[in-house]
Amino acid sequence: MQPHISARPHTHPYLALLAVCLAAAAMPLTFTGTAVALPSIAQALDASPVATAWATNAFMLTFGSTLMVAGALADSLGRRRVFLLGAASFALFSLALTVVPDILLFDLLRGGQGLAAAAAYAGGAAALAQEFNGASRMRAFSVLGTSFGVGLSLGPVVSGAMIESFGWRSIFLAVVLLTSLSFLIGYRFLKESRDPAAGRLDWRGALGFTTMLALFTYGMLLVPERGWSDGLVVGALIGSAVCLVLFIQIERTVARPMLDLSLFRYRRFVGVQLLAAAPAYGFVVLLVLLPLRFVGIEGMGAIAGGGLMIALSAPLLILPIVAGWLTRWLRPATLCGTGLILTACGLGWLSTLPSGTPAALLLLPMLMIGTGISLPWGLMDGLAVDVVPSERAGMAMGIFSTVRVAGEGVALAVIGAILSLLIAGRLSAAGLQGSAQTAGQNLAIGNLEGALAALPGSTVSQLQSFYSQAFSSVLILLSAITTITAIIVFLSLNQAKDEAVAAKAL
């Protein structure tokens, strides 16, 4: 059955594409911009390390955990309607962040931004699928993916300049501008459409999935402060596991599941989900950790630190398109595997460069990481729907987007906790007077002054040295994870398409 599309007097597909791309560019901009501003935000709002970590994780958690729900609502309520609601809410939440008085309200508003981003992305992407057909649809989604690269590339340097010139609150004004313009263009030119066959939303599955992610992320964020044996941490992680079991059981029995578990019998589909999560550990966590290192630990200015991040993210402006072009001669499995191995090598190289290394020496390994991750970045969206039967493409794209975004939130929580614990362990072994645990938490979020206060007898050079050792260990871990992922992705995607073809005949 063809989706119902209501006619509107003023329609233009490329202006509709512009509307969705503006919103898409604002999403990574608010993510990377907040990362650059995190030391300033923590100081201005007198935030604890855990509360500061939620400034980034609240957005990624709500964004990733509600994408599938937002997609289902867009199908039933109207894709244009959900997109416009998301864009307008995104602008309003961003505007409120410019005047927020404390860290608790800041974190809550960041969670609201994530909800709005999920609605805007899911509604906008679903609407574009109705605006374009055939090859033009592929080109449109390629442009949409590139817009994310623009937000990632320009976010650190633009945010750094705005922070130094107008203060950290100003970074959200750029988001207000982009999303407001997106809303106005979308209201004028985006067609309304919905799926007449859409049934009731799987609310039980949505609640189970969202609760599972929230409990796991919350537990990991508490680990640096309370330790692994703390009752609240253990309770959160056990609760997350219980929710996962309940979610699987619900999806097996509900008539119209939010997640069709049968898709996981396709090995190539499983490989694509690992591919979706790979940038979280090989690239996205660096968008948060490196600005904290450059600005908070090494004392760079926000402009200098943000400008240095361009080496990491600039390849996303060009190479994803190049990767698509290279598929004429090379298999996607080869390109994705090679890109992830290149990323792993860049991470390993960066691990050998301690804090205080001249910026010029950091550029090449950062450029290698960005170049490597750009190769699978340009192919992932197409592979997400290519590895399953065509009638399941919509759900496959929803699962892929959720794994990618939710994986980023989980990766930030896990890697942040590991970094904090590694720093605290080294400080404790050194026998410095004071609280090594508190100092480790503060150093992990780039708060060097807070760490000095927690360890009165320490010096800046000592803390920078211990931080550098722990940071190098984290990079080695990320390199190992990326290498293993590269091997699995290559082997699974290199499977013949007979698996998916045979599934279509069932």
Side-chain angles (χ1 to χ4, degrees), residues 3 16 35 54 69 108 130 167 172 242 247 297 350 368 372 401 422 481 491 499 501:
W54 273 106
V69 177
L108 290 174
Q130 311 305 319
F172 297 105
V242 170
F247 172 71
I297 304 300
L350 191 61
M368 177 181 287
S401 299
L422 287 175
I481 292 173
L491 292 177
E499 179 183 342
V501 171

Side-chain angles (χ1 to χ4, degrees), residues 81-459:
R81 179 180 299 173
V82 170
F83 169 75
L84 293 177
L85 176 62
S89 300
F90 206 164
L92 291 175
F93 281 122
S94 301
L95 186 61
L97 283 166
T98 65
V99 295
V100 67
D102 58 67
I103 190 63
L104 176 59
L105 185 55
F106 184 93
D107 289 345
L108 290 174
L109 289 172
R110 287 286 287 163
Q113 271 192 317
L115 293 173
Y121 180 82
L128 287 182
Q130 311 305 319
E131 296 277 357
F132 295 91
N133 294 293
S136 64
R137 179 184 293 175
M138 293 296 294
R139 289 193 295 269
F141 276 89
S142 176
V143 172
L144 180 62
T146 302
S147 67
F148 273 89
V150 171
L152 287 172
S153 299
L154 299 182
V157 65
V158 171
S159 299
M162 294 185 71
I163 291 167
E164 292 202 351
S165 300
F166 308 108
W168 65 265
R169 296 179 186 271
S170 65
I171 63 176
F172 297 105
L173 292 176
V175 177
V176 173
L177 176 62
L178 284 174
T179 48
S180 297
L181 189 58
S182 170
F183 174 87
L184 293 174
I185 298 175
Y187 181 83
R188 177 81 171 174
F189 296 104
L190 199 61
K191 292 186 294 188
E192 183 60 286
S193 63
R194 58 177 56 86
D195 181 3
R200 295 178 59 187
L201 180 64
D202 175 20
W203 286 110
R204 290 190 302 158
L207 180 62
F209 183 80
T210 303
T211 305
M212 174 196 68
L213 276 179
L215 287 174
F216 181 80
T217 305
Y218 182 63
M220 292 306 302
L221 287 171
L222 289 178
V223 168
E225 181 183 16
R226 296 171 175 261
W228 289 100
S229 60
D230 179 77
L232 188 57
V233 172
V234 173
L237 296 180
I238 291 177
S240 176
V242 170
C243 287
L244 174 60
V245 173
L246 291 175
F247 172 71
I248 293 174
Q249 184 62 30
I250 290 169
E251 298 308 279
R252 283 178 173 174
T253 57
V254 73
R256 290 180 63 89
M258 186 176 73
L259 171 59
D260 185 353
L261 298 175
S262 67
L263 289 173
F264 287 91
R265 67 185 176 183
Y266 309 134
R267 282 178 288 179
R268 299 182 76 236
F269 176 79
V270 174
V272 166
Q273 306 319 306
L274 288 174
L275 184 61
Y281 291 92
F283 178 75
V284 174
V285 294
L286 298 183
L287 296 177
V288 175
L289 296 182
L290 286 179
L292 294 178
R293 168 179 165 174
F294 296 152
V295 178
I297 304 300
E298 299 186 20
M300 291 186 187
I303 293 179
L308 188 55
M309 293 296 294
I310 292 180
L312 190 71
S313 53
L316 285 175
L317 294 173
I318 301 173
L319 291 184
I321 298 175
V322 174
W325 177 68
L326 288 174
T327 55
R328 298 181 180 182
W329 300 279
L330 298 173
R331 300 185 67 175
T334 302
L335 289 169
C336 292
T338 300
L340 292 179
I341 289 295
L342 192 62
T343 299
C345 291
L347 289 165
W349 185 0
L350 191 61
S351 73
T352 66
L353 304 177
S355 297
T357 298
L361 298 180
L362 298 171
L363 291 176
L364 284 179
M366 291 174 66
L367 188 63
M368 177 181 287
I369 295 169
T371 299
I373 211 66
S374 295
L375 295 179
W377 193 286
L379 304 176
M380 291 191 297
D381 294 87
L383 287 170
V385 298
D386 184 59
V387 297
V388 298
S390 58
E391 64 271 14
R392 300 189 181 185
M395 181 175 289
M397 191 64 193
I399 298 170
F400 171 83
S401 299
T402 299
V403 170
R404 177 164 58 181
V405 178
E408 292 167 359
V410 170
L412 285 171
V414 172
I415 299 303
I418 291 174
L419 176 60
S420 177
L421 291 172
L422 287 175
I423 297 171
R426 283 169 168 78
L427 293 174
S428 180
L432 296 174
Q433 183 179 2
S435 174
Q437 188 178 58
T438 302
Q441 294 170 29
N442 279 283
L443 287 173
I445 62 170
N447 186 356
L448 187 57
E449 292 183 2
L452 287 169
L455 298 172
S458 63
T459 64

